[in-house]
Every structure is written in C-alpha cells, then in structure tokens.
Amino acid sequence: MITQLNNREKINKSKIRVGRGIGSGKGKTSGRGVKGQKSRSGVAIKSFEGGQMPLYRRLPKRGFNSISIEKVAILNLEKIQSYIDKKKIKVNEILNKELFKKLKIINKNSTKLKILGTGEIKDKINIEANLASKSAVEKLEKIGGSIKLKK
C-alpha cells in the first residue's frame, strides 16, 4: 500500500521559473501574452466579472442611516453598583452623563443617558439623567436615593 503511494512520478512538481530565457519556454513575456493591463505586474481588475453584472450591483441596497437619531447611552443599576463596589464612583457625588463619560463608562458620542432597573442597588445615590425606567425610579426611591430627569 505504502509503495504504491510513493512510486508515483513527480508528486512534488518544482515551480516554473518564468522570465529565464527563450529556451525555457517561459521567457520574454513570461506566459502573460503581449502588452495590455493584464501583462503588467500588480494589476488586478477588482470586482470585474468579465462583463457579468458584478455582485455588488446584483444585491439590493438595504437600510438607512438617519442623521437626526439621538445616541442614547443605557446604564443598568447593577452596572452602577459594580462601579461603586470597585470604588470608581463616589456615593456622595451627583452621577450624571458628564461624569460617566469622563470615567469612560458610557460612549463619548452619546447625547442622552437612560437608567434602567436591572439588578439591585445597595447604596443611596443621586442620579441626573435624561430618561429612566419605572423600575429604576422605584428601586432608587426605595433605598432613599433620587433620580432627577432633565427635560
């Protein structure tokens, strides 16, 4: 079985060295034909499919990016609590969008801040935000904290 595999002639063919003289059969133009764009080096006709309608034109256009959309940063109470536990946020200061941006908790491009009520919060904190869910407001008021909604 093994001898049959190894007896085949030229399993590993050597690479053809082009441009090495007329006698090699691949000299002068190195098998590229004569003149034109395709005979030059470093040229690939990108996305050209031989006159066939290219893929990027066959597929439909999708989606729309609105320029008026506001980027709202979302923060859960459990996330705020984890930052308090790590001592990145002080409990006595007012937590607002600018502070969260400075600490890189929310994206610097966000225009509004929304507080959501997932998770538990143990510390009494004061938050200043644009939007808040009912559960977040309830949880904060239950422990004696406050949330001020900016218009």
Side-chain angles (χ1 to χ4, degrees), residues 65-106:
N65 290 330
S66 174
I67 56 167
S68 63
I69 196 162
E70 289 183 322
K71 292 180 175 71
V72 179
I74 293 170
L75 258 183
N76 277 308
L77 289 177
E78 63 183 357
K79 188 102 175 200
I80 296 169
Q81 184 62 51
S82 72
Y83 282 110
I84 291 168
D85 295 340
K86 290 178 194 168
K87 303 222 178 340
K88 283 193 174 185
I89 298 174
K90 293 181 186 78
V91 184
N92 52 13
E93 62 187 350
I94 295 168
L95 309 179
N96 56 15
K97 186 176 64 186
E98 285 71 35
L99 177 81
F100 290 130
K101 279 184 184 179
K102 198 173 84 181
L103 296 170
K104 294 193 170 129
I105 296 169
I106 63 171

Side-chain angles (χ1 to χ4, degrees), residues 18 20 38 51 59 82 95 97 101 109 117 126 130 132 136 141:
V18 294
R20 291 294 182 276
K38 289 183 189 159
L59 297 175
S82 72
L95 309 179
K97 186 176 64 186
K101 279 184 184 179
N109 298 329
N126 297 320
N130 301 89
E141 287 173 351

Side-chain angles (χ1 to χ4, degrees), residues 1-126:
M1 181 71 186
I2 296 168
T3 53
Q4 285 176 338
L5 289 173
N6 290 342
N7 278 352
R8 294 182 41 224
E9 306 88 42
K10 284 285 194 180
I11 293 171
N12 300 323
K13 286 189 174 168
S14 57
K15 185 171 172 263
I16 296 169
R17 297 182 73 211
V18 294
R20 291 294 182 276
I22 202 166
S24 68
K26 284 276 188 275
K28 195 187 169 203
T29 55
S30 307
R32 284 174 172 264
V34 195
K35 295 184 180 175
Q37 185 179 14
K38 289 183 189 159
S39 71
R40 314 279 192 253
S41 73
V43 177
I45 304 170
K46 300 243 182 343
S47 74
F48 183 68
E49 299 176 21
Q52 170 178 298
M53 186 61 67
L55 183 68
Y56 70 91
R57 286 184 63 195
R58 287 198 300 260
L59 297 175
K61 289 203 248 181
R62 291 284 314 265
F64 170 77
N65 290 330
S66 174
I67 56 167
S68 63
I69 196 162
E70 289 183 322
K71 292 180 175 71
V72 179
I74 293 170
L75 258 183
N76 277 308
L77 289 177
E78 63 183 357
K79 188 102 175 200
I80 296 169
Q81 184 62 51
S82 72
Y83 282 110
I84 291 168
D85 295 340
K86 290 178 194 168
K87 303 222 178 340
K88 283 193 174 185
I89 298 174
K90 293 181 186 78
V91 184
N92 52 13
E93 62 187 350
I94 295 168
L95 309 179
N96 56 15
K97 186 176 64 186
E98 285 71 35
L99 177 81
F100 290 130
K101 279 184 184 179
K102 198 173 84 181
L103 296 170
K104 294 193 170 129
I105 296 169
I106 63 171
N107 192 325
K108 64 180 180 194
N109 298 329
S110 49
T111 54
K112 288 187 175 183
L113 174 65
K114 183 169 186 174
I115 307 294
L116 301 181
T118 306
E120 289 303 313
I121 187 117
K122 299 176 204 117
D123 299 282
K124 187 175 146 183
I125 54 171
N126 297 320

